[in-house]
C-alpha cells in the first residue's frame, strides 16, 4: 500500500502516536463532513484531530504513526479472533464508557466515550465492535462511498439503473463512480447493498438516524447539532448467521474489536449480474505506433493528505488510493459479466518515444485530498464570514458554469477562488422546480492585476437572469464587498428572481456589469465573452 501522510499532526517530531479511537462525524462551517480521530502518545496523552470524513477508509484503530506517517511494517496491536453470530439484530448498541478501562481509557473525554459500540455475546465472550468500524467494514472502501454514505439517497446517486430481467440483474453505475472503482468486486458490493432490502435499510438507517437526532434536538435549525457532531447509530437488520474475523484485544470476557478483517455469511440477491459503467469500452487492436512518454525523476507512490483542500476535483479517471481490504464473503458468488458499448483503439505497432504531453509515471510526493469532490476542480473557496457556503455537490443547475470556469483557468493567466451559496429563502424563486433550494456561485477572479467577483445564479429551469460582474475599487474593503453581495442576493429574492436596480445603485465602490446568457453559446464562447468584460 502507498505511504500515506496526514497533514495536520499535533505531536513533536519523531514521537510515536497510536490511533486509539474515533469521535463523531460532524459538519464544519463550510458544510463539509469531518471525523474526529484520537491519537495517544506515551508522553503527551490523548490528542483529538479532525480530518475530512473521506479519510476514514485509510484509518484503523491501532495504527502507529510517526511524523504523521503510518508505519506499515510495525504490527498493529491486538490478536485475531473469530466468532459467529446468529443475526446482526441480536447486537446491543451502547456507548464506549461501558467498556472496561483496562481495554481502553478515554481520559474522561465525553466525545470519545459516548461513541456507540455494538456488543455481541457468544461463546462466553462479549465482542464489542465500534459502530464507526462496523459501517466502514460493511460499506466504505473509498472516500467516494464515505461521502455518499452521509448524503440523503446517496446510494441512488451512484447507480443509474438496477433491474432484474430474466433472472439477470442489470446494474449500471453512474459516471460519479471513478473508473478505477468500477471493478467487478465493487459492482458486486454496491449491487448487494442496493438490491438487498435488509442491507439497504442498514445503509439508509445510519444517515436517517443521524438526521432524525439532529431534528429532535434542534427542530428549527438541525445544522447546529450536525456541526457539533452526533455518534452514529445503525438500525441492525435480521440478517444471519454472520461470521466475523477481527483484530482485537481481550480483558477477562470482553473483546474490543479494533478492526474487522473479514465478514462472511451474506447472500447476494442475484446469481448473475450484467454490469456497465461509462468507462467500460471494447478494445480493438490496430497496427498504429504506440506512443511512449518518459519524464524525469524517480517514480514513487507516496501521498500526502491535504485536508485543507475544500473542493477535491471530481474526475472519473482520477487516482484512487489503495486501502487495506476488508474481505466480504458471500454464500453465493454471483457471476458477473461486463457490458461494453463504445470502442477504444489499442495500437500494437512499434513503440515511438514522444516528448510532449502529460504521461509517464507519477514522480515525487503527490498531494491528494479526501475532501468531498466537486465538478469544477480543486478551486479554493473565498474567505466569506457573513455568507454561509455549502458543498458544491448541492449546486444543481451550475454545472455548465463550472465547466466555463475550468476553461477560464486553463486558457488565461487568472487566479480563481470560488464558493457556492444558497439563495435567501422567502419567495417561490428560492426553490427550484424539483424542490431543492436554488443556489448561486461567487467566483473571485484576479486577472491583469485587477480583482473581479462573478455572481452566477443557478438556472436548472433556464430562468432568465444575467451574470453579474463586480469590479471593486481599491478603497473598498473585502467585508464591504461581502455585504454588498448579500444585499444583492436579498434584493434578487425580493424582486422574485430579478436583480433589483435600486440595490445595484446602492453598491458604492463597485462597478457592476451584466453578462447575458445565450442558448447558442458553448462553454468556450461563454468564457471568452466573460474575459471580454474583465478590462
Amino acid at each position: 500500500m502507498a505511504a500515506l501522510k496526514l497533514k495536520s499532526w499535533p505531536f513533536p517530531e519523531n514521537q510515536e502516536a497510536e490511533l486509539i479511537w474515533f469521535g463523531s462525524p460532524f459538519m464544519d462551517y463550510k458544510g463539509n463532513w469531518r471525523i474526529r480521530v484520537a491519537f495517544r502518545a506515551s508522553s503527551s496523552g490523548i490528542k483529538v484531530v479532525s480530518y475530512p470524513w473521506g479519510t476514514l477508509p485509510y484509518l484503523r484503530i491501532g495504527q502507529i504513526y510517526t511524523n504523521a506517517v503510518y508505519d506499515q511494517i510495525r504490527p498493529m496491536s491486538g490478536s485475531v479472533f473469530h466468532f459467529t453470530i446468529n443475526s446482526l439484530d441480536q447486537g446491543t448498541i451502547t456507548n464506549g464508557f461501558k467498556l472496561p478501562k483496562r481495554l481502553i481509557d478515554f481520559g474522561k473525554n465525553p466525545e470519545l466515550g459516548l461513541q456507540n459500540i455494538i456488543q455481541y455475546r457468544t461463546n462466553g465472550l462479549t465482542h464489542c465492535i465500534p459502530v464507526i468500524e462496523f459501517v466502514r467494514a460493511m460499506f466504505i472502501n473509498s472516500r467516494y462511498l464515505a461521502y455518499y454514505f452521509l448524503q440523503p439517497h446517496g446510494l441512488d446517486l451512484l447507480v443509474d439503473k438496477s433491474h432484474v430481467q430474466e433472472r439477470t440483474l442489470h446494474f449500471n453505475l453512474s459516471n460519479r463512480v471513478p473508473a478505477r472503482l468500477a471493478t467487478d468486486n465493487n459492482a458486486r458490493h454496491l449491487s448487494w447493498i442496493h438490491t438487498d432490502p435488509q442491507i439497504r435499510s442498514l445503509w439508509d438507517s445510519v444517515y436517517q438516524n443521524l438526521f432524525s437526532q439532529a431534528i429532535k434536538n434542534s427542530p428549527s435549525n438541525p445544522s447546529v447539532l450536525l456541526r457539533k457532531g452526533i455518534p452514529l447509530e445503525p438500525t441492525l437488520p435480521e440478517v444471519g448467521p454472520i461470521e466475523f474475523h477481527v483484530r482485537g484485544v481481550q480483558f477477562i470476557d470482553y473483546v474490543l474489536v479494533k478492526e474487522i478483517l473479514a465478514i462472511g455469511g451474506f447472500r447476494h440477491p442475484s446469481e448473475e449480474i450484467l454490469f456497465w459503467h461509462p468507462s467500460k469500452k471494447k478494445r480493438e487492436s490496430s497496427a498504429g505506433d504506440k506512443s511512449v512518454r518518459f519524464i524525469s525523476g524517480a517514480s514513487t507512490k507516496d501521498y500526502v493528505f491535504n485536508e485543507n483542500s475544500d473542493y477535491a476535483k471530481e474526475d472519473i479517471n482520477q487516482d484512487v488510493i489503495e486501502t487495506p481490504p476488508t474481505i466480504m464473503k458471500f454464500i453465493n458468488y454471483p457471476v458477473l459479466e461486463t457490458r461494453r458499448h463504445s470502442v477504444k483503439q489499442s495500437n500494437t505497432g512499434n513503440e515511438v518515444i514522444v516528448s510532449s504531453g502529460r504521461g509517464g509515471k507519477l514522480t515525487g510526493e503527490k498531494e491528494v485530498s479526501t475532501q468531498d469532490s466537486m465538478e469544477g476542480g480543486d478551486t479554493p473557496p473565498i474567505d466569506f464570514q457573513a455568507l454561509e457556503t455549502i458543498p458544491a455537490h448541492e449546486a444543481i443547475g451550475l454545472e455548465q458554469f463550472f465547466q466555463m470556469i475550468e476553461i477560464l483557468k486553463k486558457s488565461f493567466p487568472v487566479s480563481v477562488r470560488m464558493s457556492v451559496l444558497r439563495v435567501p429563502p422567502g419567495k417561490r424563486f428560492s426553490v427550484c422546480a424539483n424542490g431543492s433550494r436554488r443556489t448561486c456561485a461567487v467566483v473571485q477572479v484576479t486577472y491583469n492585476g485587477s480583482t473581479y467577483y462573478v455572481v452566477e445564479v443557478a438556472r436548472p429551469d433556464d430562468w432568465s437572469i444575467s451574470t453579474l460582474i463586480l469590479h471593486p475599487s481599491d478603497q473598498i474593503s473585502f467585508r464591504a464587498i461581502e455585504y454588498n453581495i448579500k444585499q444583492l442576493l436579498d434584493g434578487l429574492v425580493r424582486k422574485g428572481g430579478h436583480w433589483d436596480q435600486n440595490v445595484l445603485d446602492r453598491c458604492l465602490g463597485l462597478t457592476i456589469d451584466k453578462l447575458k446568457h445565450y442558448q447558442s453559446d458553448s462553454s468556450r464562447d461563454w468564457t471568452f465573452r466573460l474575459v471580454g468584460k474583465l478590462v
Side-chain angles (χ1 to χ4, degrees):
M1 192 180 77
L4 308 175
K5 184 176 183 180
L6 303 172
K7 264 211 164 178
S8 291
W9 190 244
F11 297 97
E13 186 176 358
N14 297 327
Q15 185 180 60
E16 288 186 350
E18 180 182 2
L19 195 163
I20 64 164
W21 203 247
F22 297 107
S24 296
F26 68 98
M27 276 188 175
D28 64 16
Y29 73 98
K30 296 174 182 175
N32 297 315
W33 283 106
R34 300 182 69 86
I35 178 72
R36 296 183 178 96
V37 184
F39 297 89
R40 178 188 282 124
S42 57
S43 60
S44 52
I46 296 176
K47 293 187 178 181
V48 179
V49 192
S50 77
Y51 297 108
W53 170 246
T55 315
L56 178 65
Y58 315 103
L59 304 176
R60 303 289 188 276
I61 297 174
Q63 289 175 337
I64 303 297
Y65 288 79
T66 304
N67 300 327
V69 177
Y70 161 50
D71 187 344
Q72 302 178 61
I73 304 301
R74 184 170 171 177
M76 288 185 281
S77 59
S79 304
V80 175
F81 294 83
H82 166 240
F83 63 96
T84 300
I85 60 173
N86 293 327
S87 178
L88 285 178
D89 68 337
Q90 291 182 353
T92 302
I93 296 179
T94 183
N95 64 58
F97 279 133
K98 301 296 177 63
L99 292 169
K101 280 194 173 183
R102 290 287 297 272
L103 276 181
I104 185 168
D105 185 357
F106 300 114
K108 298 181 181 179
N109 186 324
E111 165 64 27
L112 303 179
L114 291 175
Q115 297 307 306
N116 287 320
I117 59 173
I118 309 171
Q119 293 184 336
Y120 290 104
R121 185 73 180 175
T122 176
N123 295 328
L125 295 176
T126 300
H127 297 87
C128 306
I129 306 175
V131 165
I132 293 284
E133 172 61 17
F134 177 75
V135 299
R136 181 208 62 77
M138 287 285 293
F139 299 126
I140 302 173
N141 62 7
S142 68
R143 74 177 179 93
Y144 299 92
L145 280 182
Y147 281 104
Y148 286 107
F149 185 69
L150 289 185
Q151 285 189 39
H153 313 292
L155 187 61
D156 293 325
L157 297 175
L158 300 174
V159 180
D160 275 348
K161 183 187 295 184
S162 177
H163 71 277
V164 177
Q165 182 178 342
E166 296 180 354
R167 299 178 61 185
T168 298
L169 172 64
H170 292 250
F171 189 69
N172 294 4
L173 290 177
S174 76
N175 59 7
R176 292 183 177 89
V177 178
R180 295 192 184 185
L181 287 181
T183 62
D184 289 0
N185 284 337
N186 276 336
R188 287 189 182 93
H189 184 225
L190 285 173
S191 62
W192 168 63
I193 301 170
H194 193 264
T195 60
D196 187 306
Q198 292 173 306
I199 301 303
R200 176 61 186 269
S201 70
L202 175 58
W203 166 290
D204 290 336
S205 71
V206 177
Y207 179 80
Q208 289 170 356
N209 292 343
L210 180 76
F211 197 72
S212 296
Q213 187 65 29
I215 295 272
K216 180 180 177 181
N217 285 268
S218 183
S220 60
N221 190 8
S223 62
V224 172
L225 198 60
L226 293 178
R227 289 179 180 175
K228 182 180 178 182
I230 304 174
L232 297 185
E233 182 176 350
T235 301
L236 301 172
E238 187 179 352
V239 177
I242 304 298
E243 184 180 8
F244 285 91
H245 292 264
V246 303
R247 174 177 56 84
V249 291
Q250 181 176 352
F251 175 70
I252 309 178
D253 58 348
Y254 279 85
V255 175
L256 173 60
V257 173
K258 294 190 172 184
E259 180 183 4
I260 297 175
L261 303 173
I263 316 176
F266 298 110
R267 177 175 293 277
H268 198 291
S270 302
E271 297 295 336
E272 297 180 359
I273 302 172
L274 186 59
F275 164 54
W276 180 82
H277 181 266
S279 66
K280 301 301 181 183
K281 300 177 181 180
K282 297 178 182 177
R283 287 187 176 269
E284 289 189 357
S285 300
S286 62
D289 292 335
K290 292 188 291 185
S291 296
V292 180
R293 297 185 181 95
F294 291 99
I295 56 178
S296 60
S299 63
T300 181
K301 293 183 180 179
D302 290 350
Y303 296 90
V304 175
F305 282 142
N306 178 12
E307 68 275 11
N308 295 317
S309 177
D310 292 273
Y311 299 115
K313 184 176 182 181
E314 184 172 85
D315 181 352
I316 194 171
N317 293 308
Q318 68 176 290
D319 294 310
V320 177
I321 302 174
E322 180 185 359
T323 61
T326 298
I327 299 171
M328 188 74 65
K329 186 176 180 181
F330 295 101
I331 296 173
N332 59 334
Y333 196 72
V335 176
L336 190 141
E337 180 181 348
T338 301
R339 190 174 80 253
R340 303 175 189 271
H341 283 171
S342 55
V343 175
K344 181 177 182 179
Q345 296 290 339
S346 178
N347 291 347
T348 58
N350 297 325
E351 293 185 350
V352 178
I353 298 175
V354 296
S355 58
S356 61
R358 304 172 64 184
K361 295 182 179 180
L362 297 173
T363 60
E365 192 175 60
K366 184 177 181 183
E367 187 173 278
V368 296
S369 173
T370 53
Q371 190 54 274
D372 198 3
S373 59
M374 67 166 286
E375 185 174 0
D378 196 9
T379 305
I382 305 172
D383 189 22
F384 288 133
Q385 297 296 320
L387 295 173
E388 182 179 356
T389 61
I390 62 171
H393 62 71
E394 297 183 22
I396 299 171
L398 286 170
E399 294 81 5
Q400 189 176 0
F401 180 75
F402 290 154
Q403 293 172 12
M404 185 271 286
I405 295 298
E406 282 296 293
I407 295 173
L408 175 70
K409 290 163 58 179
K410 294 175 181 177
S411 304
F412 296 91
V414 295
S415 174
V416 174
R417 302 176 73 90
M418 177 167 60
S419 290
V420 177
L421 319 169
R422 287 193 181 95
V423 168
K427 292 284 188 178
R428 183 180 300 175
F429 173 75
S430 305
V431 180
C432 299
N434 63 0
S436 63
R437 278 280 296 279
R438 193 181 297 271
T439 58
C440 75
V442 180
V443 182
Q444 182 190 71
V445 182
T446 302
Y447 180 56
N448 285 339
S450 297
T451 298
Y452 303 82
Y453 291 84
V454 181
V455 182
E456 173 71 10
V457 178
R459 304 182 310 116
D461 48 2
D462 293 326
W463 185 268
S464 179
I465 183 172
S466 298
T467 305
L468 287 189
I469 303 169
L470 317 180
H471 185 199
S473 66
D474 294 336
Q475 289 75 29
I476 189 172
S477 69
F478 175 75
R479 296 305 166 215
I481 297 170
E482 182 179 14
Y483 173 80
N484 282 321
I485 292 174
K486 184 177 186 303
Q487 296 306 305
L488 286 168
L489 295 178
D490 288 341
L492 170 73
V493 172
R494 287 196 302 270
K495 282 287 187 178
H498 302 282
W499 298 117
D500 189 333
Q501 189 60 48
N502 291 329
V503 179
L504 292 172
D505 294 339
R506 292 200 304 267
C507 291
L508 301 179
L510 292 176
T511 301
I512 301 179
D513 204 351
K514 293 181 180 178
L515 185 67
K516 291 185 178 180
H517 295 97
Y518 296 105
Q519 289 188 348
S520 59
D521 269 359
S522 66
S523 295
R524 184 166 293 275
D525 294 335
W526 192 6
T527 304
F528 279 84
R529 288 203 302 116
L530 173 64
V531 171
K533 298 283 188 177
L534 307 182
V535 293

